[in-house]
Amino acid sequence: LQWIDTTEISDPGKELSELNLHAVIVPGGFGERGVDGKIHGVQWVRENKIPFLGICLGFQMAVIEYARHVAGFTEANSTEFLADAAQPVISELPDQKLIEDLGGTMRLGGQDVAITPGSLASFLYDESTSVRERFRHRFEVDPSFIEKLEQAGLIFSGRHPEQPIMQFLELPRSVHPYFVAAQYHPELTSRPLTPQPMFMGLLAAAILRSNPSLTREDVSTRWIPEPSANTAVPPTQSSSATPSPCG
């Protein structure tokens, strides 16, 4: 494992390439320290097809990066870092803004996540249509940008069952072998004997990256979809709940 201080990255293409990375995690956090390096790092990971997992802030970095470099929102940002951002693809939801003076804008604890059937998220969660994960964050994907991000190819395959809150994103496997991110914290539901599916998928993709001669069958048919699997599906919502494989 290698810890990368994104405040020290000046040339992501050169510096990250030299590390011979097989997979990358951008974890959670608060504040603007190292944000530019994270965004450039996510861009390098996406363009070079390195297996990627974004967690909480990492989810938001993936949205901002995609908005800037694929969807055409060149000034995309988060209001956490720039209050008057011209294109605030990440911000507090309208309902949260109404209560921010009360100090109650954090989303905390267990929340249901509706999973899109046929997506990579659905495959990882063993075809469940709803799972329960744990959250700790304040900022979200701004609902006014969701449709345009989807039109540009970003898939929001995990959502709040009733509200326009995006909770899991992915890219089609025809575009990237493993590019996923969650607004929630998968590490909080992961256990030694029942590891969280997003980590298992990342590890399987990393093994394939490190040894391209291996086949899906050599590594794991449970955590690597068949090449013909269609994960580029329109986002849908479901309210039927099934138990999370993580407990």
Side-chain angles (χ1 to χ4, degrees):
L1 296 177
Q2 300 184 62
W3 176 264
I4 302 171
D5 186 345
T6 57
T7 63
E8 299 179 357
I9 294 178
S10 58
D11 185 350
K14 179 178 183 296
E15 295 169 42
L16 295 179
S17 295
E18 292 174 347
L19 296 177
N20 191 30
L21 300 171
H22 299 138
V24 170
I25 295 177
V26 176
F30 291 92
E32 61 182 328
R33 182 178 182 272
V35 161
D36 287 341
K38 292 182 179 73
I39 293 172
H40 289 305
V42 173
Q43 180 183 13
W44 178 83
V45 162
R46 178 180 56 80
E47 293 177 346
N48 288 276
K49 303 186 187 307
I50 309 295
F52 168 76
L53 168 58
I55 298 174
C56 197
L57 181 64
F59 171 92
Q60 297 171 9
M61 297 296 93
V63 172
I64 293 172
E65 188 282 317
Y66 200 87
R68 287 182 182 180
H69 303 122
V70 180
F73 297 110
T74 57
E75 296 183 77
N77 213 323
S78 168
T79 55
E80 179 180 4
F81 317 133
L82 186 63
D84 59 348
Q87 296 171 326
V89 296
I90 302 295
S91 68
E92 291 178 299
L93 293 179
D95 289 347
Q96 292 173 302
K97 294 174 183 176
L98 294 176
I99 62 173
E100 65 180 357
D101 290 338
L102 301 179
T105 58
M106 289 281 286
R107 292 185 73 228
L108 298 170
Q111 304 279 343
D112 291 332
V113 181
I115 303 295
T116 303
S119 63
L120 178 55
S122 176
F123 172 83
L124 292 173
Y125 282 104
D126 203 19
E127 310 305 326
S128 293
T129 57
S130 180
V131 297
R132 193 165 181 83
E133 293 288 355
R134 292 175 61 186
F135 292 76
R136 187 176 185 275
H137 68 105
R138 177 174 288 111
F139 294 85
E140 315 270 0
V141 180
D142 190 298
S144 64
F145 289 91
I146 292 171
E147 183 177 355
K148 291 181 179 179
L149 289 169
E150 290 176 333
Q151 290 172 349
L154 193 61
I155 300 171
F156 291 111
S157 52
R159 303 176 173 217
H160 187 283
E162 299 175 357
Q163 303 296 325
I165 300 175
M166 305 299 104
Q167 302 184 141
F168 190 111
L169 68 79
E170 61 187 73
L171 289 179
R173 293 193 71 243
S174 59
V175 173
H176 196 288
Y178 192 85
F179 190 100
V180 303
Q183 184 61 82
Y184 50 83
H185 286 264
E187 73 276 14
L188 298 181
T189 55
S190 196
R191 301 292 183 268
L193 298 181
T194 54
Q196 213 277 351
M198 297 178 74
F199 293 115
M200 294 301 292
L202 181 74
L203 289 173
I207 292 171
L208 279 182
R209 172 79 185 183
S210 67
N211 192 340
S213 65
L214 295 177
T215 66
R216 172 178 179 261
E217 290 70 25
D218 292 329
V219 179
S220 173
T221 57
R222 169 61 188 91
W223 299 113
I224 301 173
E226 295 182 21
S228 59
N230 177 24
T231 61
V233 295
T236 59
Q237 296 189 31
S238 171
S239 59
S240 58
T242 56
S244 166
C246 304

